[in-house]
Amino acid sequence: MAAKRATAKSNVSGEELTQFYRDMLLIRRFEEKAGQLYGMGLIGGFCHLYIGQEAVVVGLESAAEDGDKRITSYRDHGHMLACGMDANGVMAELTGRAGGYSKGKGGSMHMFSKEKHFYGGHGIVGAQVPLGAGLAFADKYNGNGRVTFTYFGDGAANQGQVYETFNMAALWDLPCIFVIENNQYAMGTAQARSTSSQDIYKRGEAFGIPGEMVDGMDVLAVKDASERAVKHCRSGKGPYILEIKTYRYRGHSMSDPAKYRTREEVQKMREERDPIEHVRQLLLTGKHASEDDLKAIDKDIKAIVNASADFAKESPLPDEAELWTDIYAEAT
């Protein structure tokens, strides 16, 4: 059974590189703004930012097609934006406003989009993994050729329900891509202290599930790997595991001071491995864009993010009557 490490670079056009840059920058700026709003008290509860991990979801979405599904954990704002959900609706939901995707009733962990086939944000560690397999089961049953991207972290990889799901997915040849977003610290414990086997993707070998390790700070490496995984699943060969080594710059949540690692470690990653800066340099050295072009993109992205914050602030709070809506599915 193949177990590979992705290292090859994709041959992509300047247009594709520019889109990757825009998509990752949108996530970065959006998350920075969400952090600001949290500090102002406009976002309550927990707030888990995706800063540093942008290349993972942007690279994977590059291989997705209309109708493919995605489901993830609570660190989900980046996934929403990458699959095309509107920044206004996402920010409004984070601030608990009626203009949000769940009408202000759910926050980041209960945000869905039927149109974009985004099935949440889930707050229970690992709970989304069997749900993702269920989505993939439906696709196989319907024979529609779709795949499901099921995201979870290195911490959730030690949950028993993950292995029960691996077993069923392999048994039924489900078109499910299990994406382990390994940011190396789970909720606050280094992987080496919590996980006996450092190559988590190899755990699929017990179930006959192929997989590979991917550099999650390189969007092109993620794109390459996602294309292989998608091809595998669409051809009816069953599930595939991608362990994507990434790194979050902020703590587990806004309330986490992240004292379990040094500032020097985080700064070194920012300076040497930042996924957005990597693409920025490819655009400049390849003469696909000038400094002025990139400044214009940054200005445009900031305008989108600022508009989403304004929309959220101006959107009203939900009416009390909303407590009784969307409880049960409508009869068909």
Side-chain angles (χ1 to χ4, degrees):
M1 180 189 67
K4 307 181 291 294
R5 178 181 294 270
T7 55
K9 302 293 184 182
S10 298
N11 292 317
V12 297
S13 66
E15 183 179 354
E16 287 177 292
L17 275 177
T18 302
Q19 191 62 52
F20 288 155
Y21 183 77
R22 286 186 63 92
D23 292 344
M24 289 194 290
L25 193 61
L26 173 61
I27 295 171
R28 176 74 58 90
R29 297 290 181 253
F30 183 93
E31 293 291 67
E32 289 170 348
K33 180 62 71 173
Q36 291 174 11
L37 296 185
Y38 184 91
M40 295 166 61
L42 295 175
I43 294 178
F46 292 100
C47 184
H48 306 85
L49 302 182
Y50 202 64
I51 297 174
Q53 300 185 208
E54 299 90 351
V56 178
V57 71
V58 170
L60 283 160
E61 283 290 339
S62 71
E65 296 180 358
D66 289 342
D68 288 342
K69 301 176 177 64
R70 61 279 295 163
I71 188 169
T72 186
S73 65
Y74 37 74
R75 197 179 310 281
D76 54 1
H77 317 149
H79 303 72
M80 299 171 196
L81 297 174
C83 73
M85 290 171 67
D86 182 65
N88 287 359
V90 177
M91 194 69 85
E93 187 60 37
L94 291 178
T95 55
R97 305 304 177 104
Y101 268 97
S102 297
K103 302 177 184 178
K105 298 186 291 184
S108 65
M109 298 188 199
H110 302 90
M111 220 178 304
F112 295 80
S113 173
K114 182 177 180 181
E115 178 189 8
K116 299 299 182 181
H117 303 283
F118 179 81
Y119 291 87
H122 294 265
I124 299 176
V125 177
Q128 74 276 14
V129 180
L131 295 177
L135 293 169
F137 179 85
D139 286 331
K140 180 171 184 182
Y141 183 85
N142 291 319
N144 58 21
R146 303 296 95 204
V147 303
T148 296
F149 296 88
T150 299
Y151 295 84
F152 57 102
D154 49 303
N158 291 323
Q159 288 278 322
Q161 59 192 319
V162 171
Y163 302 100
E164 294 180 50
T165 303
F166 282 177
N167 182 57
M168 289 189 290
L171 189 64
W172 297 335
D173 292 326
L174 301 184
C176 186
I177 301 172
F178 294 106
V179 182
I180 305 169
E181 293 195 80
N182 186 352
N183 62 33
Q184 305 171 57
Y185 283 98
M187 292 178 67
T189 302
Q191 182 187 347
R193 297 183 60 200
S194 64
T195 305
S196 60
S197 55
Q198 295 303 292
D199 293 333
I200 304 175
Y201 74 96
K202 290 183 179 179
R203 296 181 183 183
E205 293 177 354
F207 306 94
I209 303 176
E212 58 185 287
M213 180 88 73
V214 188
D215 180 358
M217 307 305 279
D218 182 348
V219 70
L220 302 186
V222 179
K223 177 181 183 292
D224 282 345
S226 64
E227 289 173 350
R228 286 190 291 274
V230 165
K231 181 179 180 181
H232 176 92
C233 290
R234 290 201 208 282
S235 64
K237 296 179 180 179
Y240 200 91
I241 297 174
L242 293 176
E243 180 184 354
I244 305 185
K245 277 288 185 73
T246 184
Y247 195 89
R248 55 174 167 77
Y249 296 162
R250 307 291 284 269
H252 169 67
S253 69
M254 287 293 294
S255 60
D256 173 18
K259 293 183 178 180
Y260 39 82
R261 59 186 182 183
T262 65
R263 291 183 179 180
E264 290 75 17
E265 176 186 313
V266 178
Q267 188 61 28
K268 181 178 174 63
M269 186 65 73
R270 278 183 175 271
E271 292 175 354
E272 299 179 5
R273 300 299 318 283
D274 186 77
I276 298 176
E277 180 61 23
H278 172 61
V279 175
R280 182 178 182 277
Q281 291 303 318
L282 290 176
L283 287 168
L284 291 173
T285 57
K287 300 188 183 304
H288 302 297
S290 66
E291 289 281 4
D292 287 341
D293 293 332
L294 298 182
K295 287 179 182 178
I297 291 173
D298 196 21
K299 182 179 179 181
D300 182 45
I301 293 299
K302 286 180 178 177
I304 293 171
V305 170
N306 287 335
S308 74
D310 291 340
F311 176 82
K313 293 174 186 177
E314 295 165 4
S315 184
L317 294 170
D319 188 89
E320 287 185 10
E322 280 295 342
L323 288 170
W324 310 107
T325 64
D326 303 317
I327 298 174
Y328 301 105
E330 294 182 6
T332 58

